[in-house]
Every structure is written in C-alpha cells, then in structure tokens.
Amino acid sequence: MTRYLSQTSPSELDPDDAGVRLLCFPYAGGGASAYRRWQRGLDVHAAGAQVLPVQLPGREGRMTEPRFTDLAALVADLDEQLDAELEHPHVFYGHSMGALIAYALTARRQLRGAPLPLALALSSYRAPHLPAPKIADPGASDEELVAGLAALGGIPRVILDHPDFLAALLPIARDDLLLCTASVGADADSIRVPLHLFVGARDRLVSVPEVVAWRRHAGRGCEVRVMPGGHFFMRAHEDGFLRELAAVIRQYAYAPVLAGALSA
C-alpha cells in the first residue's frame, strides 16, 4: 500500500468479501484521522467497503513532508502513486477540498484512459465551473482565518482551546486554501462515472443549487442528497450520513465479483 493510503480499523468483513475500496480524501486542514471511525460505521450499515483514507503530505503522520499548494501537481502525484491501487474496483469520497481533489484526479485519469472509480461521492463543494468557496482572503490574519473556520464548524473545540494545536493547524489550512483556488478544467468532457452528491441544508459556504450545478459535469447520472446540518454535517451527524453513504456504496457492491468473473 502506498504512503498515501492507510486503513482506519479492521473491517468485520472477510477481506475477500469486502467489496469495493472507498478512498476518502480530506477537507482543508484535515487528515486521514477524520475517517478513523468510518470502517466500523459502514460495516454496521452493511456497505461492504474497505475504507482507505488518503493521507496528504504535511499533516499527521506525514507532517515533515512538504505540502502541495498546486492542485495539478498534487493530482499528478496521486495519479502516479495510486495507479496500481486503482486497478481494483473503487469509489472516491471527498468532502469540501477532498471533493475537488477526487474530481480532479478522476478527470486526469479519464483523460489518459486509466481505470476510473465506479462512482464519485462528493460532499460540500460547489460545481467546478463555479468560483471556489471562500473561507477567508489569502492575506487574512490568523484571527480572521480561525473565525472563518470556526463558523463552519471546521475546528474541533480541543484545537480551539489549545494554542499550540491551533498554531500547527493554521499553516496547513492556508496552504490548502491556496490549493482550492486552482482551475480544474471546468469546460472539459463530462465525468464518465455516476455522481452522488451531498450538501448540508444549513451550509453557510456552499448552497444546495451550487451542488445541484454538478449535473453539468455528470456523464453517467447525478443524484443530490440534502443532509441535516451545516458544512461539516458528515461529522456532526456522522451515523446518519454513513447510513446514506452505505446506501450509495451498496449499489456497487457486486462490481468486484463481476470484475473477477469477467477476467476468469
């Protein structure tokens, strides 16, 4: 397994029956630990997926590595490093910045004819032809940036209450916000995989119509689910969201079996 991927916790399923791989891309300022409880949660809802959080450089276990601030460079590295892993049936999930990364990686792989995800599950990000969501100006003070992130529920209380933790988070958040300003080729061909989109009903950063606008990029169908909560509904209402996500993943549960039968 590459340095980008880590397994959250052992699945209760037999590895041979684990179904599709669910690669989870982090939101701005976040890391792989955001998905540490997802394996057991999806097992409870019988999703039949192996949860593989994507750990980007410059955070958590990769803190000493330089961070990417250029989306194209990050996606190129992900494409190269994950290429062998993505031969297996998989679904991409991304929240906010993670949705942008998952989409851009899929677009790159589609352009070069590489195996694509069975589906994209994307939450809390505007359609790529729309301006990127703006949390704070690039030159905002630390106080302004903290206020913007806190208003969205993006900083856990334990970090807000510890200045050392907050000081470590802010450079990561600033670099990630730079990454989110990139163009992703909004006028390119539609993505040839189904899109499953989620948005919080009270999201202050991304509106329901801005998520519905992803249909412009859907070449294989698109559905939108409005969830209770704000921008970080997937954390505030985790069990309810995992129930909905499991329902999406179950639609692709037999893909590994079919792939094996076709290759036999």
Side-chain angles (χ1 to χ4, degrees):
M1 195 165 291
T2 79
R3 66 181 184 274
Y4 273 110
L5 297 183
S6 61
Q7 189 169 353
T8 51
S9 59
S11 173
E12 296 176 2
L13 300 173
D14 184 287
D16 292 334
D17 298 327
V20 300
R21 297 181 176 193
L22 179 67
L23 277 72
C24 299
F25 296 85
Y27 46 82
S33 64
Y35 303 110
R36 65 182 180 274
R37 295 189 297 267
W38 279 32
Q39 185 67 70
R40 295 194 184 282
L42 288 174
D43 284 351
V44 165
H45 298 299
Q50 181 187 18
V51 178
L52 297 174
V54 175
Q55 185 66 283
L56 301 182
R59 64 206 73 211
E60 297 182 348
R62 302 183 65 184
M63 186 64 77
T64 60
E65 300 177 45
R67 289 184 292 274
F68 285 93
T69 57
D70 179 78
L71 180 65
L74 170 59
V75 167
D77 196 53
L78 283 165
D79 193 16
E80 178 182 355
Q81 297 296 326
L82 296 177
D83 195 38
E85 296 287 344
L86 299 182
E87 294 287 336
H88 304 277
H90 60 282
V91 171
F92 285 166
Y93 170 76
H95 179 81
S96 198
M97 178 185 79
L100 173 65
I101 296 171
Y103 167 76
L105 178 56
T106 304
R108 176 186 171 91
R109 291 180 64 79
Q110 178 173 292
L111 187 62
R112 72 178 186 85
L116 298 178
L118 300 169
L120 292 181
L122 309 176
S123 61
S124 300
Y125 201 83
R126 296 174 183 172
H129 64 278
L130 300 177
K134 187 177 180 181
I135 296 174
D137 290 321
S141 67
D142 286 352
E143 292 76 14
E144 290 170 327
L145 181 56
V146 169
L149 293 170
L152 296 175
I155 304 181
R157 175 54 57 183
V158 66
I159 293 180
L160 284 172
D161 291 342
H162 290 80
D164 290 344
F165 291 171
L166 199 56
L169 169 67
L170 291 180
I172 300 171
R174 286 189 185 280
D175 283 350
D176 285 352
L177 293 180
L178 281 175
L179 188 147
C180 289
T181 63
S183 169
V184 290
D187 294 327
D189 292 340
S190 296
I191 292 295
R192 296 193 296 271
V193 301
L195 301 182
H196 301 272
L197 310 174
F198 300 86
V199 59
R202 299 192 305 278
D203 194 328
R204 300 182 183 182
L205 190 65
V206 180
S207 70
V208 173
E210 288 170 335
V211 172
V212 171
W214 273 96
R215 289 175 177 166
R216 170 173 167 176
H217 306 274
R220 292 290 187 272
C222 176
E223 66 169 2
V224 179
R225 303 185 187 206
V226 180
M227 305 296 295
H231 191 69
F232 284 93
F233 67 85
M234 42 74 80
R235 193 167 65 197
H237 303 279
E238 186 174 84
D239 186 65
F241 171 64
L242 290 181
R243 185 182 303 112
E244 294 294 323
L245 184 59
V248 169
I249 295 169
R250 284 197 298 270
Q251 298 179 40
Y252 307 97
Y254 292 104
V257 177
L258 291 173
L262 292 172
S263 63

